[in-house]
Amino acid sequence: MSLRPRAHIHLSNIADNWRTVSAAQVGGVTAAVIKADAYGHGLPHVAATLHDAGCDHFFVAHIHEAEVTRATLGSHPNIYVLNGPSPDEEALYRENALIPVINSSFQFRTMADWLVDGVKMPRGYVLHFDTGMNRLGLPPKDAHDLAAASEAQDPVLIISHLACSEDASAMMNAHQLEALKTLSNAFPDVPLSLSNSGGVWLGADYHQTLTRPGIALYGGGHPPEGLILKPGLTLEAPILQVRQLEAGDTVGYGATWRATEPTLVATLAIGYGDGFPRSASNKSFAILGKKRCPIIGRVSMDLITVDVTNAADLARPGVYAQLIGPDAPLEEQAALAGTIGYELTTGLTPRVKRIYES
Ligand SMILES: *Cc1c(COP(=O)(O)O)cnc(C)c1O
């Protein structure tokens, strides 16, 4: 038996979540964002599952991720590279029929150079305009100039990205929507895309022609009340040792936790070397037999220590405890550790064995 932490990847849940987002969307198509190894869930498996479920549009950040997606899915789906093209990548884009997202005037000139011989990109390209994120994106004031310059081959999609989609009351959402609508006047017939997962939950005004959900597919983020997303993965770690503490005993590096009464402690084979964050020290919990068992002491590289006094009957070496999953919701664990679901799942290292379940 292996004493390695493991993540069961619930591929059918991920497909169900994609259908749930799709059903919440008023018109248009629902893409899938599978960058960063599908947020730690395994890009090839997730891509194949969602393609089978009917998804035809996949967004990644890097061209390398796009190549893997193309190799996995074959020639049919559209694959968009969010971080955009670099001058030496023309052959890769063309051979793999990838769709570059143009984020800057430098990238626009790169694209223009590739089109100079009048040979179109196989599936066109996307223009990304910045409407307030100030991270990537072309300036909206350049929209008319770019529209004139791009006559050689009209863009297939105009996108922007919301800064505050998780907060439905943020005025910034409406401002960004308005800015996108205004700049899109320069491109009368080109479809639009604004929303990530949080944007979908903002309602029909934000759906446009295509949405780009990521975290929702993996069961994270903050969907509206009553809308249930299923966990994309269940993270578990085995107990290596169980010990009885007396009042006054301390646990772990820095002796940051001290028993005030007799306490049963289980040591689990998972730590920040697996991507379980050190900031969860004395904050998050493990689940043993449906019981919440607080993490006590510091998370170390390979180990955590958990108070299992309330689950003593199950606390023995080789038994697996859940850290993220149906009984340990991703966003709740993330919040306890002072982070977000995205960072937790994306951060899981290769030492965590992935077990793919259909
Ligand atoms: C990562 C990303 C998304 C997906 O965001 P989620 O919040 O995970 O749904 C969508 N669009 C862009 C431009 C992104 O970078």
Side-chain angles (χ1 to χ4, degrees), residues 33 35 39 82 135 159 161 195-198 212-216 342:
V33 180
K35 60 195 178 187
Y39 294 41
L82 285 166
R135 194 177 62 166
I159 75 169
H161 192 47
S195 285
N196 63 340
S197 303
R212 310 184 304 271
I215 194 69
Y342 302 72

Coordinates of all heavy atoms in Angstrom, one line a residue, residues 33 35 39 82 135 159 161 195-198 212-216 342, ligand 1:
V33 N -12.0 27.1 -19.6 CA -10.7 27.5 -19.4 C -9.9 26.4 -18.7 O -10.3 25.9 -17.6 CB -10.7 28.8 -18.5 CG1 -9.2 29.3 -18.3 CG2 -11.4 29.9 -19.3
K35 N -6.3 26.3 -18.5 CA -4.9 26.7 -18.3 C -4.4 26.1 -16.9 O -5.2 25.6 -16.1 CB -4.8 28.2 -18.2 CG -5.6 28.8 -17.1 CD -5.8 30.4 -17.3 CE -6.7 30.9 -16.2 NZ -7.0 32.4 -16.4
Y39 N -6.3 23.9 -13.9 CA -6.4 24.3 -12.5 C -5.9 23.1 -11.6 O -6.5 22.9 -10.5 CB -7.8 24.8 -12.1 CG -8.3 26.1 -12.7 CD1 -8.0 26.3 -14.1 CD2 -9.0 27.0 -12.0 CE1 -8.5 27.5 -14.7 CE2 -9.4 28.2 -12.6 CZ -9.2 28.4 -13.9 OH -9.6 29.6 -14.5
L82 N -4.4 32.7 -24.3 CA -4.7 33.9 -23.7 C -3.5 34.9 -23.6 O -3.6 36.1 -23.7 CB -5.2 33.7 -22.2 CG -6.7 33.2 -22.2 CD1 -7.0 32.7 -20.8 CD2 -7.7 34.3 -22.6
R135 N -3.9 44.9 -16.8 CA -3.0 43.7 -16.7 C -2.5 43.4 -18.1 O -1.4 43.7 -18.5 CB -3.8 42.6 -16.1 CG -2.9 41.4 -15.6 CD -3.8 40.4 -14.9 NE -4.8 39.7 -15.8 CZ -5.4 38.6 -15.5 NH1 -5.2 38.0 -14.3 NH2 -6.3 38.1 -16.3
I159 N -12.5 40.3 -26.8 CA -12.7 39.9 -25.4 C -12.3 41.0 -24.5 O -11.4 41.9 -24.9 CB -12.1 38.6 -25.1 CG1 -10.5 38.7 -24.9 CG2 -12.4 37.5 -26.1 CD1 -9.9 37.5 -24.3
H161 N -11.9 41.4 -19.8 CA -11.9 40.5 -18.6 C -12.3 41.3 -17.4 O -11.8 42.5 -17.2 CB -10.5 39.9 -18.4 CG -10.4 38.9 -17.4 ND1 -11.2 37.8 -17.3 CD2 -9.4 38.7 -16.4 CE1 -10.9 37.0 -16.3 NE2 -9.8 37.5 -15.8
S195 N -17.1 37.4 -19.9 CA -17.2 36.8 -18.6 C -16.4 35.6 -18.3 O -16.5 34.6 -19.1 CB -18.7 36.5 -18.3 OG -19.4 37.8 -18.0
N196 N -15.8 35.6 -17.2 CA -15.3 34.3 -16.5 C -16.4 33.7 -15.7 O -17.6 34.1 -15.9 CB -14.1 34.7 -15.7 CG -14.4 35.6 -14.5 OD1 -15.5 36.3 -14.6 ND2 -13.6 35.7 -13.5
S197 N -16.1 32.8 -14.8 CA -17.2 32.2 -14.0 C -18.1 33.2 -13.3 O -19.3 33.2 -13.4 CB -16.6 31.2 -13.0 OG -15.8 30.3 -13.6
G198 N -17.4 34.1 -12.6 CA -18.1 35.1 -11.8 C -19.0 35.9 -12.7 O -20.1 36.3 -12.3
R212 N -16.3 32.4 -20.6 CA -15.0 31.7 -20.4 C -14.9 31.2 -19.0 O -14.0 31.7 -18.2 CB -13.8 32.6 -20.7 CG -13.9 33.3 -22.1 CD -12.7 34.2 -22.4 NE -12.3 35.1 -21.3 CZ -12.8 36.4 -21.3 NH1 -13.6 36.9 -22.2 NH2 -12.5 37.2 -20.3
P213 N -15.7 30.3 -18.5 CA -15.6 29.8 -17.1 C -14.4 28.9 -16.9 O -14.1 28.1 -17.8 CB -16.9 29.0 -16.9 CG -17.2 28.5 -18.3 CD -16.8 29.6 -19.3
G214 N -13.8 29.1 -15.8 CA -12.7 28.2 -15.4 C -13.0 27.6 -14.0 O -13.5 26.5 -13.9
I215 N -12.9 28.4 -13.0 CA -13.0 27.9 -11.6 C -14.4 27.1 -11.4 O -14.4 26.1 -10.6 CB -12.8 29.0 -10.5 CG1 -12.5 28.4 -9.1 CG2 -13.9 30.0 -10.5 CD1 -11.2 27.7 -9.0
A216 N -15.4 27.6 -12.0 CA -16.7 27.0 -11.8 C -16.7 25.5 -12.2 O -17.4 24.7 -11.6 CB -17.8 27.7 -12.5
Y342 N -8.7 28.7 -6.4 CA -7.8 28.6 -7.6 C -6.3 28.2 -7.1 O -5.7 27.4 -7.8 CB -7.6 30.0 -8.2 CG -8.8 30.7 -8.7 CD1 -9.7 31.2 -7.9 CD2 -9.0 30.8 -10.1 CE1 -10.8 32.0 -8.4 CE2 -10.1 31.6 -10.6 CZ -11.0 32.1 -9.7 OH -12.0 32.8 -10.2
Ligands
LIG1 C1 -8.3 32.6 -16.1 C2 -9.2 33.4 -17.0 C3 -10.6 33.1 -17.1 C4 -11.3 32.1 -16.2 O1 -11.6 32.7 -15.0 P1 -12.4 31.9 -13.8 O2 -12.5 33.0 -12.8 O3 -11.5 30.8 -13.4 O4 -13.7 31.5 -14.3 C5 -11.3 33.7 -18.1 N1 -10.8 34.7 -18.8 C6 -9.5 35.1 -18.7 C7 -8.9 36.1 -19.6 C8 -8.7 34.4 -17.8 O5 -7.4 34.8 -17.6

